[in-house]
Amino acid sequence: MPLLVPNRYRGKLIVVEGIDGSGKSTQLSLLSQWLRSQRIAVAFSEWNSSPLVRETTRRGKKKNMFTPVTFSLIHATDFADRLERYILPLLKAGAVVCADRYAYTAFGRDVVRGVSRKWVRNLYKFAVRPNLAFYFRVPLEVAIGRILGGRNAIKYYEAGMDLELSRNVEESFRIFQGRILDEYEAMIQEVGFHVIDATGSIEEQQQQMREIVLEELGESLRNGLLRASQGDIDAAKAAARIL
Ligand SMILES: Nc1ncnc2c1ncn2[C@@H]1O[C@H](COP(=O)(O)OP(=O)(O)OP(=O)(O)O)[C@@H](O)[C@H]1O
Ligand SMILES: [Mg+2]
């Protein structure tokens, strides 16, 4: 089964994946600053951020109402909304869209929550295949150390507490994230991840990312294919009503 739909638009889609605390947002933000400094039009899209399902997700989580299937479907709805109303118009306009987590997050998390690998891949088959997908590989302990260093509480769903792996939040988080890590490792070949050693310094990792971007997308960057006008970008954002 061919995985995801090829991107036939002028713009490019770059995604970052990895367990919580692997450094995805840090790296994607640096990459987008660099692209902007080359006068390339860049837009961001974050996992689970669509206004369409926000209230339902909040209520469902609060009352612990989700089953593995409904949890997966609500995230897929969020994803479809962002893809169709925001990501695709921006790709059409010629922007570089940077996605902080993509369908592969569902391939990891939803499977660990109990849906089948085949089912979740089938669910997301409408998604556009990224031009570049980075996977930030980090040992569990390093990621946990970073997360606990940065804030005090781990949230209920983030720790997979609904799975009843342990009554202790930190222990549950450890088991849950460990299983997601195994899923990511198992899908590297299948989805074509560029693996970044996320234990390295922020600067080292950023250097590697930029080299890969130049190698893979350099021609489009050089030929000015990705210089969408700000007017096009603004129009696409306005159409998605997320300005
Ligand atoms: N290479 C690094 N070395 C040390 N600390 C880092 C490194 N990269 C990021 N950090 C720090 O680790 C923490 C988590 O980083 P970041 O928020 O980028 O991770 P993330 O993968 O986006 O996590 P989440 O999935 O929870 O959003 C932050 O406090 C960040 O400053
Ligand atoms: Mg993040």
Side-chain angles (χ1 to χ4, degrees):
M1 178 171 74
L3 199 66
L4 312 187
V5 183
N7 173 9
R8 18 177 210 98
Y9 303 114
R10 207 157 50 96
K12 303 288 175 196
L13 176 61
I14 300 178
V15 314
V16 293
E17 289 283 359
I19 58 170
D20 291 3
S22 56
K24 300 177 295 297
S25 304
T26 304
Q27 293 299 329
L28 196 60
S29 147
L30 289 170
L31 188 78
S32 72
Q33 280 172 32
W34 174 67
L35 290 169
R36 281 202 183 103
S37 76
Q38 322 268 317
R39 297 200 324 225
I40 288 161
V42 182
F44 261 112
S45 188
E46 260 185 276
W47 188 250
N48 203 18
S49 63
S50 152
L52 185 68
V53 295
R54 190 168 293 147
E55 190 51 28
T56 312
T57 307
R58 198 187 61 78
R59 281 209 337 259
K61 280 185 172 174
K62 204 168 163 189
K63 297 191 176 160
N64 207 358
M65 284 161 73
F66 289 121
T67 66
V69 169
T70 56
F71 200 83
S72 186
L73 291 174
I74 198 113
H75 282 97
T77 305
D78 167 87
F79 180 88
D81 184 49
R82 286 183 300 112
L83 184 76
E84 289 176 356
R85 296 189 335 116
Y86 182 62
I87 297 176
L88 293 181
L90 284 160
L91 290 176
K92 272 185 205 166
V96 172
V97 179
C98 292
D100 196 337
R101 297 188 172 281
Y102 200 65
Y104 311 127
T105 282
F107 293 6
R109 278 191 193 159
D110 295 357
V111 165
V112 172
R113 281 222 149 74
V115 303
S116 87
R117 291 187 180 90
K118 199 171 163 195
W119 188 87
V120 72
R121 281 158 175 72
N122 190 48
L123 181 62
Y124 279 88
K125 70 178 178 204
F126 64 92
V128 168
R129 191 184 309 145
N131 297 90
L132 277 176
F134 291 98
Y135 164 50
F136 292 86
R137 174 189 266 159
V138 73
L140 201 53
E141 290 310 317
V142 174
I144 290 172
R146 285 180 191 167
I147 286 169
L148 298 180
R151 57 188 148 112
N152 22 18
I154 300 172
K155 291 181 212 144
Y156 184 90
Y157 276 95
E158 200 175 33
M161 289 298 280
D162 53 313
L163 298 175
E164 299 181 353
L165 302 166
S166 164
R167 285 195 189 166
N168 178 282
V169 180
E170 204 176 311
E171 182 56 21
S172 173
F173 183 79
R174 209 176 286 271
I175 301 169
F176 183 54
Q177 296 291 325
R179 291 184 186 173
I180 294 172
L181 188 61
D182 293 344
E183 290 300 320
Y184 273 129
E185 289 292 325
M187 71 175 94
I188 293 172
Q189 297 292 328
E190 175 197 9
V191 309
F193 279 144
H194 288 269
V195 182
I196 304 283
D197 175 359
T199 61
S201 74
I202 291 176
E203 294 74 19
E204 276 164 5
Q205 292 181 54
Q206 186 57 208
Q207 190 55 37
Q208 281 177 44
M209 273 184 102
R210 290 178 189 184
E211 277 166 20
I212 294 169
V213 168
L214 284 173
E215 224 171 271
E216 302 283 328
L217 307 180
E219 211 180 313
S220 311
L221 298 178
R222 275 188 298 277
N223 294 339
L225 289 178
L226 301 174
R227 287 186 173 66
S229 78
Q230 193 56 45
D232 284 346
I233 304 286
D234 291 346
K237 285 186 178 174
R241 280 185 276 116
I242 57 133
L243 272 176

